[in-house]
Amino acid sequence: MNILGSIRAVAGPSARSCSRRLCDPGPSRWTVPAALASSSRAPFYASRSSLASHRTFCSSTVTDYSPTAVARLPRWVNNAKPGSTPDQQSTNATEAKKDVRLDSAEDGQSAPPASAPPSAPPSSSSSGDGSDNADPPPPPPPDNPPPSQTSISKQSVPEVYPQVLALPIARRPLFPGFYKAVVIRNPEVVAAVKEMMRRGQPYLGAFLLKDENVDSDIITDVNSVHPVGVFAQITSVFTAASNKEDEKEEGLTAVLYPHRRIRITELVKGGQTAKVETVESTPAESTVAESEGQLPTPPPEREGPPMTLQTSFLEKYAVSVVNVDNLATQPYNKDDQHIRAFMSEIVSVFKDIAQLNPLFRDQIANFSINQVASNVFDEPDKLADFAAAVSTGDPNELQDVLESLIVKDRLSKALLVLKKELINAQLQSKLARDVDSKIAKRQREYYLMEQLKNIKKELGMESDGKDKLIEKFKERAAALKMPEAVRKVFDEELNKLMHLEPAASEANVTRNYLEWLTQIPWGRHSPENYSISHAQKVLDEDHYGLKDVKDRILEFLAVGKLRGTVEGKIICLVGPPGVGKTSIGKSIARALNRQFFRFSVGGLTDVAEIKGHRRTYVGALPGKIIQALRRVGTENPLVLIDEVDKIGRGHNGDPASALLEMLDPEQNTAFLDHYMDVPVDLSRVLFVCTANMLDTIPAPLLDRMEVLEVSGYVSEEKAQIASKYLGPQAKEAAGLKEADVQLEPSAIDILIKYYCRESGVRNLKKHIDKIYRKAALKIVQDLGEEVFPEPTPTPAPEATAADTNKSEEESVKAASTVEKQDAPPNAPDAPETATPHKSAEEKDDKERVVTTVERKPMKVPDTVHVRISPENLKDYVGPRVYHKDRLYVHPPPAGVSTGLGYLGNGSGAVMPIEALSMPGKGNLQLTGKLGEVIRESAQIALSWVKSHAYELGITKTPDEVFLTDRDIHVHMPEGSIGKEGPSAGTALLSAFVSLFTKTKISPDIAMTGEISLVGMVLPVGGLKEKILAAHRAGIKTIIAPADNRPDIEENVPESVKTGIRFVYVENVHEVLHEVFRGEPVAERWKDTLPLEQS
């Protein structure tokens, strides 16, 4: 659009004037001569003349205008024909110049409808006729010059524009008559568009990319876009905002208004630039050349099809330029029955979509306002374009609509796209209705519930949830005997809750605190039973043996019976695994008629488990003891703290130290939990702890407990436990309670002697369970499925019809199906990712039946009799674990003695000690997985022998050097078993004396005892288990420390001591005289190693 050309034609080349006159408004108005007013243009000018009544006043002001050389170049004339020669086109253009009168600032620019969106400030350009002696050109205007005053009216658009800049469009095509905003990022294309706007040639071709994932501004291959596109006018441009601050490329948003369909005939330029050699010229020469009217330098040569003179300025930009042909819609009859049917259906679908989608309805209204010249619903071709333009269909389907030149086909394809849009709108409407109905239902329920609450509240039938909660807390507190300090805290927290909103976070914390505070059994306790006879009966029912433990418990109860309370007593049961420490705690609770609660502290590292968390933490809870009180509901339960010797210590504190306050009778009367933050009286709680050893229990904690040692069971006790307790329990667990399956006592003895030598009975229980399980398997396998059939859901034959119907109904109610979840096959040729082959039945059976009906046990026939004897015991439990009790049955060689040891599993063992000498340097080598203490015992024994070598008869003179050229090797068999402790001192010394004096020791003699460096024999522990192992091995004589005599006489059963002679010694002289009794070397010792007279 160029209003400057018309002003120049009137005022002269150098006029300084202002022109204001009445004219037909519009950016570009042509006064067309009769020669150009052909028949094909008549309708266009007729339509323009019909709008003359709507013209308004417009004015333009020009100051200091001078034409440029480019302004004298002709543009394509509307009536130019593609077949005319360039000379003819030039002649026609020259004739047209004489009759051209421009009234606007830009000639031939865009022609959008009256309702076009606001455009960016237009760029000025020059085009038209002018004088040869023009002034020098002014400097180029800025990118965004101030907007010129133009009227808003429809402009003329070139009907023939054979060569245009090609702009690829992504995702959906453009349709004639519908605006489209595109973002251009390529700087070359941006510069070219600006130049086109400046020159007054804002026209380009928009073509849809075939690949939806590609977004480019240039076309390098003509096959990358669809050949049919639109001839569009750039109505306005805006600077595109960049997401990155440091992005140097300037983007451009261009608003396009398509006018007609076009087809690409040839790709003239595919985005490359021509190489131009720079020729230096002075500004004066350039000014003179332009003033003389010389044409600009022709564009450089480029490979490929030539570019026209009008688009030659695009040579210097890396943009795409194509040759195009206009595509015209084929003639049609508007009154055709099929066309009218299509149009009616499209209008009907439009109405349906408009009712479902308000946004679609707004688009139709806007488009109807834009089409002021005609009614789109009366023109089939525009109706089809409109249907495709407003829909969100597939890009390929929309492109088919654009490429259709036959109106009937275009309407058919547009109707298909529109029908899919209707289906999508219906689905969206259905989803919206479903959501709305759910929300409306919830809102209605909420509204009715609120009304119901208010009605009940008015009638006094029910109060709201907050009042009900407060009333509940008050009722709980009234039933408890809270201390005064606790009652005060309760009233404060309850008052706080009354003034808090239920939705507040603090209200939830306060409510939880009040829940815990009112569920602690303040003042509530169970009546205790201190009956000695009742306690004796309960302890005997649950345990066999353990006389010391039972007597101590009865003493404890007797004191409680006289005092009326057992406060201040913390019992710690210590013993090997499997001796029944936990079950003893349960028996005490049953005997006292107290509630029982057990928790283990093994591996506990967080002090909050004992003392609780502070209420400020999310998910805070009280400690275990407060949880125990809430669980049992009384303040005098029996709390069993298991594995107290395995308590840990971590970064969250020391739980063992936290137990001090809880177990100390002087402190637990006011135990302060972090969560409760009120004193809780734990003095009425009876604490029973269990441990396997005392070494790892902290001394302050051990000092607060009364230790009861629970030693292991002897063979007779194990046999009684197996026959009275373990056997019946295992038999019932295996489903053989009524069956005739007997485990003979002799088999139990073999089981205890060669399979289960541990102090406890846990391993014995496992083996007895295994025996009865094997027996059950043999019975089922021998009798088969005929005797033990799988149950069927059909009712019994003798049931009546009513019972049958009832059973069927119950089965239907109890049975249901779930989806099958089978394990993947384990075959090597069927990997987990492969689909296993399934038969037709397996494919149909995709569900598994589930039921809630309990399966009834089956009765073993009375004809079945099973006996487990020593002969067939191996079939049930496998080969023996312990083959023989002692290594040497016959007299061993010199240097071998027999000791008694205590194993880690709580059992005793007969352990031979072997000593051997060899040439060397006097070193002592120890093997057999020996601990540090037993190594020291060997060093002490060897040192004593060296110092008494002359008295023992090993050396001939007291000053003779001994063992300077000999090494000593000591080994204890069964090297995989760790051995530790000082009790092997006497056995090691006897082995050394036997080795050096070359005197054998009888294998029927076993010894235990720690020795000192001067030859004293000190007491040791584990005598009961050691004597049991000696009894099992057939030992005839046991040499033990004299200080252990009371322990042996009182705690070791007489049945175990039967057949064993005990020799109690105080020093090693007595040990040697007893071990080597009757040997020649012992006769000499009467003089050199005399026995002390007591």
Side-chain angles (χ1 to χ4, degrees):
M1 294 184 292
N2 189 3
I3 193 171
L4 302 179
S6 63
I7 296 176
R8 186 183 65 248
V10 177
S14 60
R16 293 175 178 265
S17 63
C18 176
S19 173
R20 183 183 296 266
R21 58 192 176 83
L22 290 171
C23 63
D24 288 343
S28 179
R29 182 179 62 80
W30 288 79
T31 303
V32 183
L36 296 179
S38 59
S39 60
S40 62
R41 300 286 291 174
F44 173 74
Y45 291 105
S47 63
R48 290 182 60 87
S49 61
S50 65
L51 297 175
S53 60
H54 300 286
R55 303 301 186 187
T56 59
F57 174 78
C58 70
S59 65
S60 300
T61 304
V62 178
T63 304
D64 290 344
Y65 169 74
S66 297
T68 62
V70 182
R72 294 191 294 271
L73 298 180
R75 296 168 58 193
W76 287 300
V77 184
N78 291 342
N79 62 349
K81 298 179 181 179
S84 63
T85 62
D87 295 338
Q88 294 173 346
Q89 293 180 7
S90 177
T91 303
N92 294 336
T94 305
E95 293 176 355
K97 283 196 294 182
K98 300 177 181 179
D99 297 326
V100 171
R101 181 167 56 86
L102 298 175
D103 293 334
S104 64
E106 295 179 0
D107 181 21
Q109 206 178 358
S110 58
S115 62
S119 61
S123 303
S124 63
S125 64
S126 60
S127 179
D129 55 359
S131 174
D132 291 339
N133 49 0
D135 295 336
D143 291 341
N144 295 320
S148 60
Q149 299 177 359
T150 60
S151 62
I152 303 175
S153 63
K154 193 170 182 179
Q155 305 170 3
S156 62
V157 179
E159 291 186 354
V160 177
Y161 213 97
Q163 194 173 84
V164 294
L165 181 145
L167 182 66
I169 302 297
R171 297 175 188 86
R172 57 180 293 118
L174 275 63
F175 289 89
F178 297 92
Y179 286 97
K180 173 72 173 181
V182 297
V183 179
I184 305 172
R185 294 292 183 189
N186 192 314
E188 294 289 332
V189 181
V190 169
V193 169
K194 289 183 178 180
E195 180 65 20
M196 292 164 56
M197 295 291 290
R198 190 181 69 83
R199 289 173 174 267
Q201 300 181 19
Y203 303 108
L204 51 79
F207 303 92
L208 178 66
L209 286 164
K210 293 182 179 180
D211 190 352
E212 297 181 6
N213 300 321
V214 176
D215 191 2
S216 175
D217 292 336
I218 59 174
I219 301 174
T220 56
D221 184 8
V222 72
N223 295 321
S224 64
V225 296
H226 291 277
V228 176
V230 293
F231 176 77
Q233 174 185 351
I234 306 174
T235 62
S236 57
V237 292
F238 307 93
T239 301
S242 177
N243 295 330
K244 300 179 181 179
E245 296 180 358
D246 56 347
E247 188 174 351
K248 297 181 179 179
E249 296 183 1
E250 180 185 2
L252 200 69
T253 300
V255 180
L256 306 182
Y257 181 79
H259 290 286
R260 58 176 176 267
R261 290 171 169 79
I262 56 175
R263 182 191 298 275
I264 298 177
T265 59
E266 185 179 15
L267 180 61
V268 178
K269 185 170 178 289
Q272 70 275 13
T273 57
K275 297 181 180 179
V276 182
E277 295 182 359
T278 304
V279 179
E280 297 182 357
S281 60
T282 62
E285 293 176 353
S286 176
T287 304
V288 172
E290 291 186 1
S291 63
E292 293 176 357
Q294 297 179 0
L295 294 176
T297 305
E301 295 183 359
R302 175 184 49 80
E303 296 181 359
M307 294 183 63
T308 60
L309 188 61
Q310 287 77 12
T311 58
S312 61
F313 68 92
L314 296 177
E315 281 283 6
K316 61 180 179 179
Y317 302 106
V319 297
S320 305
V321 180
V322 295
N323 289 336
V324 296
D325 285 342
N326 292 341
L327 295 179
T329 303
Q330 294 186 10
Y332 61 91
N333 183 9
K334 186 186 299 185
D335 297 330
D336 183 83
Q337 183 177 1
H338 291 85
I339 292 178
R340 293 181 65 85
F342 275 126
M343 293 178 65
S344 300
E345 183 63 21
I346 288 176
V347 172
S348 175
V349 174
F350 267 135
K351 293 179 181 179
D352 294 340
I353 299 178
Q355 293 177 357
L356 299 174
N357 192 345
L359 182 62
F360 198 88
R361 182 167 60 248
D362 295 341
Q363 290 179 341
I364 297 175
N366 292 337
F367 181 77
S368 301
I369 295 173
N370 294 341
Q371 302 295 329
V372 293
S374 59
N375 188 0
V376 68
F377 297 101
D378 293 337
E379 301 184 17
D381 53 345
K382 290 186 179 181
L383 181 62
D385 290 346
F386 172 56
V390 298
S391 65
T392 57
D394 183 72
N396 293 325
E397 295 179 352
L398 299 179
Q399 182 66 25
D400 290 343
V401 176
L402 182 66
E403 295 179 359
S404 298
L405 300 180
I406 302 175
V407 173
K408 189 181 298 184
D409 293 343
R410 189 185 301 176
L411 288 170
S412 174
K413 295 176 180 179
L415 180 60
L416 177 63
V417 173
L418 210 57
K419 282 285 188 181
K420 293 182 178 180
E421 188 75 19
L422 176 61
I423 295 173
N424 187 25
Q426 290 173 346
L427 180 59
Q428 291 180 356
S429 178
K430 180 180 180 299
L431 295 175
R433 286 197 306 271
D434 293 342
V435 174
D436 291 341
S437 63
K438 291 180 181 179
I439 296 175
K441 182 181 179 182
R442 292 176 183 174
Q443 292 291 338
R444 181 173 176 272
E445 291 176 355
Y446 175 77
Y447 178 72
L448 293 176
M449 289 298 295
E450 290 297 324
Q451 282 187 331
L452 183 61
K453 287 181 182 179
N454 292 332
I455 293 172
K456 288 184 176 181
K457 191 173 182 180
E458 291 294 333
L459 295 176
M461 298 172 60
E462 182 180 343
S463 60
D464 59 2
K466 185 177 178 181
D467 295 339
K468 196 173 182 181
L469 187 65
I470 292 173
E471 188 65 27
K472 180 184 73 172
F473 287 144
K474 288 183 178 180
E475 291 177 359
R476 286 184 183 177
L480 299 173
K481 294 175 62 177
M482 287 186 179
E484 190 63 30
V486 179
R487 176 71 66 176
K488 182 179 179 181
V489 172
F490 170 76
D491 293 339
E492 291 176 356
E493 294 294 328
L494 191 65
N495 187 43
K496 183 196 298 183
L497 182 63
M498 292 172 62
H499 293 85
L500 287 174
E501 289 295 329
S505 59
E506 183 67 20
N508 189 35
V509 175
T510 305
R511 182 177 62 83
N512 290 337
Y513 179 73
L514 289 173
E515 288 278 357
W516 281 99
L517 197 63
T518 55
Q519 287 185 357
I520 294 178
W522 305 101
R524 300 175 60 183
H525 60 276
S526 59
E528 295 173 315
N529 185 358
Y530 292 121
S531 173
I532 302 299
S533 59
H534 172 72
Q536 184 74 52
K537 180 182 178 182
V538 170
L539 293 174
D540 290 340
E541 287 177 356
D542 296 343
H543 298 85
Y544 181 84
L546 301 178
K547 184 176 182 301
D548 293 342
V549 177
K550 291 179 180 178
D551 290 344
R552 181 64 189 87
I553 294 172
L554 293 178
E555 294 169 5
F556 173 76
L557 296 180
V559 173
K561 188 178 185 69
L562 297 177
R563 292 184 60 222
T565 179
V566 291
E567 295 178 5
K569 299 297 181 182
I570 292 93
I571 300 175
C572 181
L573 302 174
V574 180
V579 296
K581 298 183 295 296
T582 303
S583 59
I584 289 174
K586 295 179 181 179
S587 300
I588 296 174
R590 192 158 71 94
L592 290 175
N593 191 31
R594 287 197 178 198
Q595 295 281 75
F596 178 80
F597 183 85
R598 172 193 169 273
F599 70 93
S600 176
V601 294
L604 191 68
T605 59
D606 191 358
V607 71
E609 294 291 333
I610 307 297
K611 298 277 288 181
H613 303 84
R614 302 194 182 276
R615 273 183 287 167
T616 54
Y617 299 146
V618 177
L621 285 174
K624 285 289 186 182
I625 186 62
I626 303 298
Q627 297 179 30
L629 295 178
R630 178 187 180 183
R631 181 77 60 84
V632 299
T634 61
E635 65 177 4
N636 64 336
L638 187 145
V639 176
L640 180 69
I641 305 176
D642 225 345
E643 310 294 348
V644 75
D645 60 326
K646 301 174 183 64
I647 193 167
R649 182 174 185 175
H651 65 279
N652 290 325
D654 184 11
S657 300
L659 282 176
L660 295 177
E661 181 185 358
M662 188 173 75
L663 299 181
D664 191 351
E666 301 298 330
Q667 301 181 43
N668 62 11
T669 55
F671 177 75
L672 196 64
D673 185 88
H674 289 160
Y675 182 87
M676 303 307 301
D677 204 23
V678 292
V680 180
D681 187 7
L682 301 180
S683 60
R684 304 191 66 177
V685 178
L686 177 59
F687 292 100
V688 177
C689 304
T690 66
N692 296 123
M693 59 186 68
L694 299 175
D695 301 339
T696 57
I697 301 177
L701 183 60
L702 185 63
D703 183 61
R704 286 164 170 81
M705 298 185 293
E706 186 174 351
V707 179
L708 296 180
E709 291 190 5
V710 184
S711 58
Y713 301 99
V714 297
S715 299
E716 289 76 7
E717 293 173 338
K718 284 186 177 181
Q720 293 293 330
I721 292 172
S723 60
K724 291 183 178 180
Y725 303 99
L726 303 182
Q729 292 175 5
K731 188 176 181 181
E732 183 177 357
L736 302 173
K737 184 178 181 180
E738 305 296 334
D740 185 14
V741 179
Q742 298 295 331
L743 178 61
E744 296 181 358
S746 57
I748 295 177
D749 293 338
I750 297 297
L751 200 63
I752 295 171
K753 189 174 182 180
Y754 295 105
Y755 292 89
C756 309
R757 290 186 178 179
E758 299 81 8
S759 298
V761 294
R762 186 171 292 148
N763 192 33
L764 180 61
K765 181 179 184 300
K766 293 178 183 178
H767 280 77
I768 294 177
D769 290 342
K770 185 176 181 180
I771 289 172
Y772 281 104
R773 288 198 306 268
K774 288 273 189 182
L777 177 61
K778 289 184 181 242
I779 292 173
V780 173
Q781 287 180 339
D782 293 344
L783 298 181
E785 296 293 333
E786 292 79 8
V787 179
F788 301 105
E790 281 298 305
T792 55
T794 56
E798 63 272 15
T800 61
D803 295 337
T804 303
N805 296 334
K806 183 178 180 181
S807 301
E808 289 178 354
E809 292 177 359
E810 291 178 354
S811 300
V812 170
K813 291 180 181 179
S816 59
T817 58
V818 295
E819 184 180 356
K820 271 192 175 182
Q821 296 292 337
D822 293 333
N826 295 325
D829 56 344
E832 293 184 0
T833 56
T835 303
H837 176 71
K838 294 184 179 180
S839 61
E841 294 80 3
E842 291 176 338
K843 292 180 180 179
D844 295 337
D845 187 15
K846 294 182 180 180
E847 293 184 343
R848 178 169 281 114
V849 178
V850 295
T851 181
T852 57
V853 178
E854 296 290 338
R855 181 166 177 159
K856 296 181 180 180
M858 293 186 177
K859 186 177 184 304
V860 179
D862 297 335
T863 56
V864 176
H865 305 284
V866 179
R867 297 290 182 271
I868 295 98
S869 61
E871 289 76 17
N872 61 357
L873 183 64
K874 183 179 178 181
D875 299 336
Y876 292 88
V877 292
R880 296 180 178 183
V881 178
Y882 305 100
H883 300 283
K884 52 186 177 181
D885 293 308
R886 57 182 181 177
L887 190 61
Y888 297 100
V889 180
H890 302 287
V896 178
S897 65
T898 304
L900 297 175
Y902 181 81
L903 302 180
N905 60 0
S907 65
V910 175
M911 297 186 297
I913 298 175
E914 302 173 342
L916 193 66
S917 68
M918 65 201 77
K921 298 181 180 180
N923 297 326
L924 175 63
Q925 185 177 0
L926 302 170
T927 57
K929 201 175 182 182
L930 307 182
E932 187 64 27
V933 177
I934 204 169
R935 288 174 176 272
E936 294 176 355
S937 298
Q939 293 284 354
I940 293 172
L942 184 60
S943 298
W944 190 91
V945 171
K946 285 182 179 181
S947 64
H948 296 79
Y950 177 72
E951 290 84 353
L952 293 172
I954 301 173
T955 61
K956 298 184 178 181
T957 62
D959 299 332
E960 182 180 347
V961 180
F962 176 54
L963 290 180
T964 57
D965 57 349
R966 306 287 293 180
D967 286 346
I968 306 300
H969 187 177
V970 177
H971 176 69
M972 299 180 70
E974 297 186 6
S976 63
I977 300 175
K979 306 167 186 69
E980 181 60 299
S983 62
T986 56
L988 286 167
L989 187 141
S990 301
F992 286 145
V993 174
S994 173
L995 175 65
F996 298 140
T997 60
K998 298 181 176 55
T999 305
K1000 298 181 180 180
I1001 300 176
S1002 172
D1004 294 334
I1005 299 176
M1007 61 200 80
T1008 181
E1010 179 184 358
I1011 62 171
S1012 66
L1013 201 56
V1014 296
M1016 299 296 294
V1017 178
L1018 306 179
V1020 293
L1023 266 299
K1024 182 179 179 180
E1025 289 78 13
K1026 294 176 181 179
I1027 295 172
L1028 179 61
H1031 175 78
R1032 189 170 54 242
I1035 298 296
K1036 300 294 190 291
T1037 301
I1038 294 178
I1039 301 174
D1043 293 340
N1044 286 117
R1045 184 169 188 166
D1047 185 18
I1048 295 174
E1049 292 178 351
E1050 184 176 353
N1051 296 328
V1052 179
E1054 291 296 330
S1055 60
V1056 176
K1057 294 187 290 185
T1058 303
I1060 299 178
R1061 184 174 68 91
F1062 289 91
V1063 178
Y1064 301 103
V1065 295
E1066 294 181 353
N1067 55 49
V1068 296
H1069 294 184
E1070 299 177 7
V1071 174
L1072 295 177
H1073 280 281
E1074 180 63 35
V1075 170
F1076 296 97
R1077 180 187 298 273
E1079 297 294 337
V1081 68
E1083 296 298 326
R1084 180 187 174 186
W1085 292 345
K1086 292 179 181 180
D1087 300 329
T1088 57
L1089 294 174
L1091 296 175
E1092 296 180 0
Q1093 298 297 327
S1094 57

